[in-house]
């Protein structure tokens, strides 16, 4: 493999570590910087702090090219391009908290040979603020590039190595071209544009996908009322090339580190600019209300939930990750506890993260343990192992019969054949609307 330009990556979370490992795989030496000394020490030992399929193996196979440090000078010494992948969580107002980003900006020296490459999701206009900060502090020689990430948790490694597109926003200088050259081996469609447009592409993409999810959830709720099957509706819609099948799966709402934050950030950006983004208000409201559909279905069949044992199958916000940020299980567990229920929760990989955020519930060692003695089961996260459950054993273990499939993941006929009562999202009973 030919020599690649060395790079720095500041921040070793999901985006930073996957980006670093991906570029190392392409042949670059990568200097990974983080202020968390414990995390850096674990990474030096080959211990990956997040659960992401394929990432541990990718880091292990590129150990000679990946260097971990808490000193940003190590990256500055070895690399011209410094990829910024720090957190930008929402503030109480819904705006993005850019304090970590500007800490990086302020740590940069006056230089005409370095560039910041922004991977962190930031509001449109952030690049201009950063360049102004550079000018005001005598660092106007420092270049800036917007290169938003489009990595999906659970498939982030594959998304890096086979991207749908690479977006590079720059001022037409050396830095933008250097980033383009770095990504060239991936042979992905390139969108090279101005910085503001690159920033907006990221926010608009996630907002559209979130809108698609909220739309199909609204359709599912109407299907519940009229006796249609949203799975069939989605299948018919998705065959239209103008619509497509992706993100048309009804359920109990989206979560994670991106969609809720980015939708809110875009709504706030519009509002701060004087425009009322009415559609996004509805997207957010639908997503919040969708989680209540599970409570309504439980109460329809069980009445009062006081003293009822509810099994939650899956706790992470989606399968193939241990990420609990904005997970539906957080809302469901809080609501169930408030209504007097007892909860047994099980997740194949996210228990450690869940314990940090959820209290007052029993953490089961297996799905079968969570289901034992349960009055109802709620499938929250569509882990593949749940599709392999022996439903006859499930029926024998449960005290009640109700299974609420919050992701329309199970086979309704198989669930019913085991003597259980199936409730999906927007799915009718075997005879139409009536169960």
């Amino acid at each position: 493999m030919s020599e690649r330009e060395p790079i720095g990556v500041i921040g070793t979370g999901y985006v930073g570590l996957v980006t670093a490992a991906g570029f190392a795989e392409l042949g670059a030496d990568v200097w990974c910087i983080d202020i968390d000394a414990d995390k850096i020490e674990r990474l030096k030992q080959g211990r990956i702090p997040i659960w992401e399929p394929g990432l541990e193996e990718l880091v292990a196979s590129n150990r000679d090219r990946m260097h971990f440090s808490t000193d940003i000078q190590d990256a500055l010494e070895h690399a011209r391009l410094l990829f910024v992948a720090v957190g930008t969580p929402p503030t109480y107002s819904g705006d993005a908290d850019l304090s970590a980003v500007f800490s990086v900006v302020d740590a940069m020296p006056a230089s005409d040979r370095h560039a910041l490459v922004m991977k962190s999701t930031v509001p449109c206009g952030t690049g201009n603020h950063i360049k102004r900060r550079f000018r005001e502090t005598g660092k106007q020689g420092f270049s800036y590039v917007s290169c938003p990430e489009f990595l999906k948790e659970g498939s982030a490694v594959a998304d890096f190595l086979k991207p749908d597109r690479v977006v590079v926003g720059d001022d037409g200088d050396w830095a933008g071209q250097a980033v383009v050259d770095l990504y060239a081996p991936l042979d992905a469609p390139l969108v090279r544009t101005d910085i503001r447009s690159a920033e907006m592409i990221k926010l608009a993409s996630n907002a559209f996908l979130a809108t698609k999810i909220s739309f199909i959830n609204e359709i599912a709720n109407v299907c519940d009322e009229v006796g249609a099957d949203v799975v069939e509706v989605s299948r018919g819609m998705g065959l239209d090339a103008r619509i497509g099948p992706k993100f048309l799966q009804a359920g109990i709402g989206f979560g994670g580190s991106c969609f809720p934050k980015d939708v809110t950030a875009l709504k706030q950006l519009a509002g701060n600019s004087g425009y009322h983004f009415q559609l996004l208000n509805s997207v957010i409201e639908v997503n919040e209300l969708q989680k209540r559909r599970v409570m309504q279905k439980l109460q329809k069949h069980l009445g009062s939930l006081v003293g009822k044992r509810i099994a939650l199958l899956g706790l992470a916000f989606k399968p193939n990750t241990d990420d609990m940020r904005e997970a539906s299980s957080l809302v469901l567990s809080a609501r169930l506890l408030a209504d007097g229920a007892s909860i047994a929760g099980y997740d194949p990989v996210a228990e450690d993260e869940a314990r940090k955020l959820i209290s007052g519930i029993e953490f089961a060692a297996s799905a079968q343990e969570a289901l034992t003695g349960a009055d109802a089961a709620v499938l929250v996260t569509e882990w593949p192992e749940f599709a392999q459950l022996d439903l006859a054993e499930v029926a024998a273990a449960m005290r009640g019969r109700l299974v609420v499939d919050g992701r329309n993941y199970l086979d309704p006929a198989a669930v019913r054949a085991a003597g259980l009562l199936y409730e999906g999202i927007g799915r009718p009973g075997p005879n139409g609307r009536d169960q």
Side-chain angles (χ1 to χ4, degrees), residues 324-326 330 333 352-359 363:
M324 288 292 298
R325 286 175 288 184
E326 300 290 336
L330 300 177
S333 59
D352 289 345
E353 294 301 314
R355 284 182 178 273
K356 300 174 185 177
L357 298 171
I358 303 177
S359 59
F363 288 94

Side-chain angles (χ1 to χ4, degrees), residues 8-9 31 33 71-80 82 114:
V9 175
W31 297 85
I33 311 298
D71 188 352
I72 205 166
Q73 292 302 319
D74 288 336
L76 287 164
E77 177 184 347
H78 292 93
R80 296 189 303 166
L82 305 174
H114 288 96

Side-chain angles (χ1 to χ4, degrees), residues 10 33 71-82 84 101-116 130-131 133-144 174:
I10 303 171
I33 311 298
D71 188 352
I72 205 166
Q73 292 302 319
D74 288 336
L76 287 164
E77 177 184 347
H78 292 93
R80 296 189 303 166
L81 300 175
L82 305 174
V84 181
V101 168
F102 278 100
S103 292
V104 173
V105 171
D106 292 341
M108 294 299 104
S111 171
D112 58 2
R113 65 173 290 269
H114 288 96
L116 283 186
I130 289 174
K131 291 193 293 181
R133 185 88 147 236
F134 279 149
R135 290 194 300 270
E136 291 171 350
T137 55
K139 304 173 185 177
Q140 56 269 22
F142 221 103
S143 292
Y144 183 84
W174 69 268

Side-chain angles (χ1 to χ4, degrees), residues 1 34 87 94 119 147 159 164 263 295 315 361 373 381 386 416:
M1 185 178 292
D34 202 291
K119 276 289 178 189
C147 183
D159 290 341
D164 293 328
V263 171
M295 300 298 296
L315 300 172
I361 79 169
T381 313
F386 298 145
R416 293 183 179 114

